[in-house]
Amino acid sequence: MNRLALSLSLLIVVCACRGRDPDVGKLPVVEPKPPARTLTRRALFGAMPVENRFQDPLITFSGTGWFAFGSGYSWPTSYRRVDQSSPTGTPVLVLPGPENNGGVTALGQLKTARTPLHLETWLGREEGGGDDFSGVDVSLVGLFADGEERAVSLTIDESSRQVLGGVAWARFTADLDEGPVGWAYFMAGDGNEETLLLTGAVAVDLPAQAGAAFGFSKPRAPSARERELAAAARERSQQLALAPRPRPSRPKHPAAGR
């Protein structure tokens, strides 16, 4: 190739490079995909077992699962159900002391069985109310197989104390070698008229051979207040059961009223 031909070839190459699209040869820009949306799984009963003998473990006050009585066993009284942080991840029942003269007691109804029974609940104090549960009275009262009414007190588990969302929580428990066979009510209240929070009410059967592993709570005679509260709850249950249901109104015939 002579010198003229070589110069012409170089000139063609340079011109071709100058006119080329600058983006040629570059990798395409790929926009990142947004993260995939996932559903947050939330158990209906939180950390509580499904095999729970409480008629209304979520404390909805539907039917006759729960009652709340003020002083003089008045009905209704002041309480509220809130969805906030709790040790079991379930709704909380708030029993406001200042709004209830003489205090208020919550009663939860259980399905009974003549088997060893474990009972527990979480009680809380609102922020600023400290963590003193000395004024709390929490128990199970029921009719047992021998025909006697008995009560079993739940005791605090000191190792369970914790603070969630500004609320000081503690678990109260009791183990029975034999559960009641007739009516049975769980009761929790504060005799000092301080605000009390309640959640995670659980009653579950224990293995039949649990006697060697558990120190069972000792039953006692129910106090006069416990008897009267249970009687008030039974009476209220009967009233709800006998209350007439409203009949749906029938649409009037077009000719009626002419």
Side-chain angles (χ1 to χ4, degrees), residues 35-41:
R37 296 179 63 186
T38 58
L39 294 176
T40 302
R41 186 179 181 88

Side-chain angles (χ1 to χ4, degrees), residues 5 15 30 55 66 96 102 113 117 135-136 147 151 162-163 171 180 209 234:
C15 292
V30 179
Q55 290 187 6
W66 285 87
L117 188 69
V136 168
Q162 57 184 279
V163 177
R171 182 173 57 212
Q209 65 275 16
R234 293 197 300 271

Side-chain angles (χ1 to χ4, degrees), residues 9-236:
S9 299
L10 292 174
L11 180 62
I12 292 172
V13 171
V14 170
C15 292
C17 291
R18 285 180 178 176
R20 189 175 63 182
D21 188 345
D23 291 332
V24 173
K26 292 184 179 180
L27 294 175
V29 177
V30 179
E31 294 293 336
K33 293 182 179 180
R37 296 179 63 186
T38 58
L39 294 176
T40 302
R41 186 179 181 88
R42 181 177 180 181
L44 176 62
F45 296 102
M48 295 191 301
V50 177
E51 303 82 6
N52 195 341
R53 288 194 167 275
F54 273 88
Q55 290 187 6
D56 182 12
L58 297 179
I59 319 180
T60 64
F61 280 84
S62 58
T64 60
W66 285 87
F67 299 98
F69 291 99
S71 60
Y73 314 110
S74 57
W75 172 276
T77 189
S78 179
Y79 62 86
R80 59 183 179 271
R81 179 180 181 267
V82 296
D83 192 2
Q84 65 181 62
S85 298
S86 72
T88 56
T90 52
V92 175
L93 176 64
V94 181
L95 306 173
E99 299 175 22
N100 296 284
N101 294 330
V104 60
T105 301
L107 279 75
Q109 194 163 354
L110 283 71
K111 301 173 184 176
T112 58
R114 193 175 179 178
T115 56
L117 188 69
H118 171 75
L119 189 69
E120 70 175 57
T121 192
W122 287 85
L123 301 181
R125 294 292 195 199
E126 290 181 324
E127 189 172 7
D131 58 356
D132 181 15
F133 294 95
S134 60
V136 168
D137 186 13
V138 53
S139 61
L140 172 70
V141 182
L143 182 66
F144 287 77
D146 59 1
E148 294 292 330
E149 295 180 0
R150 291 196 178 91
V152 176
S153 297
L154 278 70
T155 58
I156 189 171
D157 176 6
E158 293 292 349
S159 65
S160 68
R161 288 181 180 270
Q162 57 184 279
V163 177
L164 290 175
V167 176
W169 291 99
R171 182 173 57 212
F172 286 71
T173 68
D175 294 307
L176 289 70
D177 60 350
E178 181 178 294
V181 295
W183 56 267
Y185 289 102
F186 161 85
M187 303 181 184
D190 189 323
N192 293 337
E193 302 182 18
E194 296 182 15
T195 297
L196 183 67
L197 286 75
L198 185 154
T199 193
V202 171
V204 291
D205 294 346
L206 291 173
Q209 65 275 16
F214 290 84
F216 290 119
S217 304
K218 187 176 181 180
R220 56 175 173 77
S223 66
R225 176 174 173 78
E226 288 171 333
R227 290 180 186 272
E228 291 168 355
L229 282 167
R234 293 197 300 271
E235 181 180 356
R236 181 61 184 168

